[in-house]
């Protein structure tokens, strides 16, 4: 948070690229860590707070399309502290001051002007530490508008969007991009080189799959180190320092050693692991039955949209998606009980019914203590 008038003024000043790239201690640290990946629907406030509790170093919000955040009204809940961006009473995005130093807002865009406007909206009150451009989503809702993975085949537009985002963001807010591999190493090297030469990004995430690969196909981790080395070379040549984050098939902290060895990456981003169980960031993966009560407590405290709570808790508690097997292995419940709870959960129409379906205590209280714990953890880890 800005503490002096000078800092407050600086936030509003648009300065040149050299200033943007100067080390700013308020910038998030992308160099070493385990990060919660952007996930549509899954990456809402309760998921992010749980990921932080269990050891995620940075958390990405779900992709929000530029036009969705444009025209929203920012509202602060004086009781819970939650910040909501609302349009026609519908929550488009929400966040909390506790996560602010670790929160990256991901935008979906195919328009430099709209991307810039989205960045201005989410950074106007210093609610996020960084903004990220989604250049990797292959789902039709993203690519149809020319966004997501379609940007990979229009690098000039991709780079123009990043330039507009950098100009729109205050100097202490990082700009990053998340891409997929292109079919060949040569094409991928050319793409990352063009991105690095824009002098706009603070870090680059590489999802080690190509646009046409399905999530169940093994990530092409062996292609990572050459691309990361190329980023490092071009960055050095242009006087920059750009960490490259590796994403794909890291399901828990237990996979980290193997993936680091295979890729040379110091930072890893996880998606399906924490989708099934956010405690995957920690040394000890808890049973999903230990996570579910906390998810519900946050959901009730923040009045999380019910459909989102139900969706996330269904993914979290009793399914294993894409091999996020740790959650299942440590589940203490017999299979028949799991099936019964899943069935009851699918019928639930209120937060209270979710509690009954999953045999959780009701009222679901305790979110304030959870929040205080996250705050203490972040404060202890943040250099003075
Ligand atoms: C439910 C879900 C939603 C996702 N939504 C996004 C998104 O909003 N933006 C994005 O860049 N990638 C999104 N992805 C892709 C992930 O961020 C990640 O790149 C991919 O799942 C590979 O990581 P993993 O092997 O750890 O799952 C999503 C993935 C999942 C499973």
């Amino acid at each position: 948070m800005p503490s002096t008038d000078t800092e407050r003024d600086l936030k509003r000043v648009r300065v040149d690229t050299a200033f943007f790239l100067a080390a700013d201690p308020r910038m998030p640290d992308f160099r070493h860590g385990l990060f919660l990946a952007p996930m549509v629907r899954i990456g809402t406030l309760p998921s992010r707070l749980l990921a932080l509790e269990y050891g995620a170093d940075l958390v990405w919000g779900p992709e929000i399309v530029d036009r969705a955040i444009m025209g929203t009204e920012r509202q602060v809940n004086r009781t819970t502290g939650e910040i909501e961006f609302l349009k026609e009473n519908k929550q488009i995005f929400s966040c909390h001051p506790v996560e602010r130093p670790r929160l990256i807002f991901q935008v979906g865009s195919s328009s430099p002007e709209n991307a810039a406007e989205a960045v201005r909206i989410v950074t106007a009150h210093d609610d996020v530490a960084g903004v990220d451009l989604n250049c990797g989503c292959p789902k039709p809702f993203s690519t149809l508008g020319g966004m997501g993975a379609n940007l990979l085949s229009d690098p000039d537009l991709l780079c123009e969007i990043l330039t507009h985002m950098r100009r729109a963001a205050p100097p202490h807010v990082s700009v990053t991009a998340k891409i997929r591999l292109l079919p060949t190493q040569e094409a991928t090297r050319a793409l990352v080189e063009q991105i690095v030469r824009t002098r706009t990004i603070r870090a680059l995430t590489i999802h080690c799959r190509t646009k046409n690969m399905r999530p169940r196909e093994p990530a092409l981790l062996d292609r990572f180190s050459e691309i990361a080395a190329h980023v490092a070379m071009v960055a050095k040549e242009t006087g920059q320092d750009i960490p490259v984050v590796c994403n794909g098939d890291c399901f828990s902290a237990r996979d980290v050693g193997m993936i680091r060895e295979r890729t040379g990456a110091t930072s890893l981003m996880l998606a399906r692991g924490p989708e099934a169980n956010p405690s995957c960031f920690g040394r000890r993966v808890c049973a999903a039955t230990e996570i579910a009560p906390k998810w519900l407590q946050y959901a009730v405290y923040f009045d999380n949209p019910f459909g989102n709570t139900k969706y996330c808790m269904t993914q979290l508690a009793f399914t294993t998606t894409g091999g996020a097997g740790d959650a299942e292995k440590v589940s203490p419940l017999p299979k028949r009980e799991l099936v019964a709870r899943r069935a009851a959960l699918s019928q639930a129409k209120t937060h209270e019914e979710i509690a009954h379906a999953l045999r959780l205590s009701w009222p679901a209280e305790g979110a304030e203590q959870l929040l205080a714990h996250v705050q203490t953890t972040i404060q202890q880890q943040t250099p003075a």
Side-chain angles (χ1 to χ4, degrees), residues 183-219:
T184 66
Q185 289 292 79
E186 192 186 358
T188 314
R189 278 199 310 271
L191 173 70
V192 298
E193 177 157 351
Q194 189 173 347
I195 293 174
V196 170
R197 288 192 187 282
T198 61
R199 303 177 63 86
T200 56
I201 56 163
R202 187 76 183 178
L204 180 69
T205 303
I206 300 182
H207 176 190
C208 297
R209 288 189 176 82
T210 59
K211 184 180 163 189
N212 294 331
M213 286 174 72
R214 300 296 104 210
R216 282 187 184 277
E217 292 179 66

Side-chain angles (χ1 to χ4, degrees), residues 6 55 61 75 88 115 128 134 173 186 189 202 248 266 282 288-289 292 363:
T6 320
Q75 220 170 69
E88 291 158 10
V128 302
N134 181 351
V173 171
E186 192 186 358
R189 278 199 310 271
R202 187 76 183 178
T266 52
T289 44

Side-chain angles (χ1 to χ4, degrees), residues 68-348:
I69 200 86
M70 286 162 69
T72 51
E73 190 191 330
R74 180 182 180 275
Q75 220 170 69
V76 181
N77 183 317
R78 297 282 160 214
T79 310
T80 64
E82 184 185 18
I83 299 152
E84 291 186 284
F85 292 84
L86 301 164
K87 200 188 268 184
E88 291 158 10
N89 267 335
K90 189 175 164 232
Q91 187 189 90
I92 304 296
F93 177 67
S94 89
C95 55
H96 195 278
V98 157
E99 60 173 345
R100 191 260 166 230
R102 306 296 171 91
L103 174 61
I104 312 296
F105 175 88
Q106 191 188 58
V107 63
S109 182
S110 57
S111 152
E113 293 74 26
N114 288 355
E117 183 57 16
V119 168
R120 274 191 286 273
I121 289 167
V122 290
T123 59
H125 293 88
D126 210 27
D127 294 327
V128 302
V131 290
D132 184 65
L133 179 63
N134 181 351
C135 315
C137 184
K139 296 268 164 63
F141 68 80
S142 197
T143 52
L144 273 181
M147 301 180 292
N150 269 9
L151 289 175
L152 299 174
S153 45
D154 193 346
D156 290 346
L157 177 61
L158 189 166
C159 290
E160 201 189 337
I161 296 174
L162 286 175
T163 305
H164 275 65
M165 286 172 68
R166 185 58 278 173
R167 284 198 197 117
H172 65 285
V173 171
S174 62
V175 172
T176 53
K178 176 167 176 277
I179 64 168
R180 284 189 176 225
L181 293 168
L182 291 177
T184 66
Q185 289 292 79
E186 192 186 358
T188 314
R189 278 199 310 271
L191 173 70
V192 298
E193 177 157 351
Q194 189 173 347
I195 293 174
V196 170
R197 288 192 187 282
T198 61
R199 303 177 63 86
T200 56
I201 56 163
R202 187 76 183 178
L204 180 69
T205 303
I206 300 182
H207 176 190
C208 297
R209 288 189 176 82
T210 59
K211 184 180 163 189
N212 294 331
M213 286 174 72
R214 300 296 104 210
R216 282 187 184 277
E217 292 179 66
L220 305 172
L221 293 171
D222 295 329
R223 289 185 54 186
F224 179 85
S225 63
E226 188 190 339
I227 304 301
H230 195 67
V231 170
M233 190 195 79
V234 181
K236 192 167 176 210
E237 190 192 306
T238 50
Q240 305 175 76
D241 179 17
I242 301 179
V244 188
V245 180
C246 179
N247 170 232
D249 289 351
C250 182
F251 290 103
S252 78
R254 282 188 225 160
D255 297 334
V256 168
M258 178 273 291
I259 294 183
R260 281 193 173 143
E261 202 163 301
R262 216 171 132 189
T263 61
T266 52
S267 290
L268 305 180
M269 176 184 269
L270 292 70
R272 287 165 297 165
E275 176 187 27
N277 189 328
S279 73
C280 71
F281 288 103
R283 285 218 183 102
R284 186 181 78 84
V285 179
C286 307
T289 44
E290 271 182 55
I291 308 295
K294 296 182 179 183
W295 219 109
L296 191 65
Q297 285 164 24
Y298 276 136
V300 170
Y301 185 65
F302 292 123
D303 197 14
N304 194 52
F306 173 74
N308 180 259
T309 304
K310 184 169 162 176
Y311 177 75
C312 292
M313 291 191 70
T314 302
Q315 298 306 99
L316 160 75
F318 309 113
T319 58
T320 51
T321 49
D326 279 347
E328 195 85 328
K329 275 185 220 136
V330 296
S331 168
L333 293 172
K335 189 149 190 202
R336 188 185 294 178
E337 177 63 14
L338 269 179
V339 171
R341 291 189 188 190
R342 276 182 213 171
L345 182 58
S346 72
Q347 301 298 316

